[in-house]
Amino acid sequence: MFNFLKKSKGPRPMIVSTDVHCHIVPGVDDGSPNTDTSMELMERMASWGINRIIATPHMTLDTFENTPDILDPALAELHEALDRSDIDIELSRTAEHRIDDFFFQQLEKGAIVPYPNNYLLVENSFVQEPWGLDRTLFDLKLRGYKPVMAHPERFMYYQEGRERYQQLHQAGNLFQVNVLSLAGYYGKSTKQTAEWLIENHMADFLGTDLHHHRHADAIEEYLESKDYRKLLDSGVKFKNDTAFL
Ligand SMILES: [Fe+2]
């Protein structure tokens, strides 16, 4: 209430306090390489008002074939460091599941850890829409999952024909938009698509997709921008802080 009395320190807080997409589990993908870096990144995230992180290390065929026996010890190490620090963040993990043969294999093995309440983050290939995507998403729903598509605004093959977004969303698939997209980090077309998804009520979740300090710099710059002020003023609501309770 007395915010006006305080000289503001650091960027404005993030519009959500739960981050549902980031690569801070150390040493398991192209995100943070070690625990010290992860701690630095989490300290920065805490300064944006993030108090809960559900980390999403990549799970992709050939490049990052991450399984629970790889991810969980790395997460445990980060938990230990977090417990020793004064950073107040609740940390857990799922994964960013690329839709490929490795994912289907892990799904059959029961090695998939979804978000709480069975939300499941899935990622398209950047080259083209995965073959049989509608069927895959439908099958996941039959298994009791609620598919959340990671950063659909980033796929160039969707940016042109935006009606595909409507189709996918109307079929009951949820969308997670990246803060970095809104920040313009991936270029103008991705930024405009992200804004369009928000305006059209299709952006269910917001995620940082933070991998490293350069991403954090871009996010901090965005939190100080007019565009971010506009987002706050729009009154838009995301599901980040309510879906996993
Ligand atoms: Fe990601």
Side-chain angles (χ1 to χ4, degrees), residues 52 54 92 114-119 146 243-245:
R52 184 175 185 187
I54 307 175
S92 59
Y115 290 117
N117 299 332
N118 267 358
Y119 290 90
K146 299 168 196 155
F244 310 124
L245 300 175

Side-chain angles (χ1 to χ4, degrees), residues 26-221:
V28 297
D29 63 7
D30 57 348
S32 169
N34 52 50
T35 301
D36 285 350
T37 307
S38 300
M39 292 300 292
E40 289 166 14
L41 292 171
M42 287 174 79
E43 198 172 359
R44 292 182 78 172
M45 295 167 92
S47 80
W48 312 334
I50 299 290
N51 58 25
R52 184 175 185 187
I53 292 175
I54 307 175
T56 54
H58 287 292
M59 193 185 271
T60 48
L61 180 72
D62 298 332
T63 32
F64 304 114
E65 296 197 351
N66 279 316
T67 51
D69 57 308
I70 297 171
L71 296 177
D72 292 335
L75 183 73
E77 200 184 308
L78 187 54
H79 262 296
E80 274 173 39
L82 192 60
D83 288 346
R84 286 194 303 268
S85 78
D86 54 8
I87 301 173
D88 190 15
I89 284 182
E90 185 192 329
L91 172 69
S92 59
R93 75 141 184 109
T94 170
E96 179 172 15
H97 307 95
R98 173 71 57 82
I99 299 174
D100 60 22
D101 288 345
F102 184 71
F103 169 62
F104 296 127
Q105 211 184 77
Q106 295 304 303
L107 199 62
E108 287 313 319
K109 280 191 188 161
I112 296 295
V113 178
Y115 290 117
N117 299 332
N118 267 358
Y119 290 90
L120 185 68
L121 188 68
V122 292
E123 187 199 27
N124 281 17
S125 154
F126 280 88
V127 181
Q128 59 186 36
E129 181 175 275
W131 185 83
L133 178 67
D134 296 274
R135 180 74 214 190
T136 298
L137 295 170
F138 182 75
D139 285 346
L140 288 173
K141 280 176 256 176
L142 284 185
R143 289 172 187 251
Y145 292 112
K146 299 168 196 155
V148 178
M149 296 182 70
H151 45 63
E153 75 279 6
R154 293 194 61 195
F155 303 122
M156 271 160 55
Y157 51 84
Y158 284 161
Q159 289 177 357
E160 302 276 293
R162 286 177 174 173
E163 62 282 354
R164 183 67 175 133
Y165 289 120
Q166 256 134 356
Q167 251 174 27
L168 286 162
H169 203 260
Q170 274 163 17
N173 306 298
L174 301 169
F175 291 166
Q176 175 265 307
V177 164
N178 280 1
V179 179
L180 284 166
S181 301
L182 296 169
Y185 187 86
Y186 315 106
K188 198 169 167 187
S189 161
T190 301
K191 176 179 166 68
Q192 287 171 341
T193 308
E195 289 167 348
W196 181 84
L197 287 172
I198 290 176
E199 280 157 24
N200 287 277
H201 314 290
M202 285 186 273
D204 302 284
F205 294 94
L206 201 62
T208 62
D209 208 352
L210 185 83
H211 285 65
H212 42 64
H213 281 293
R214 291 188 309 284
H215 281 162
D217 295 343
I219 288 170
E220 285 177 4
E221 202 177 308

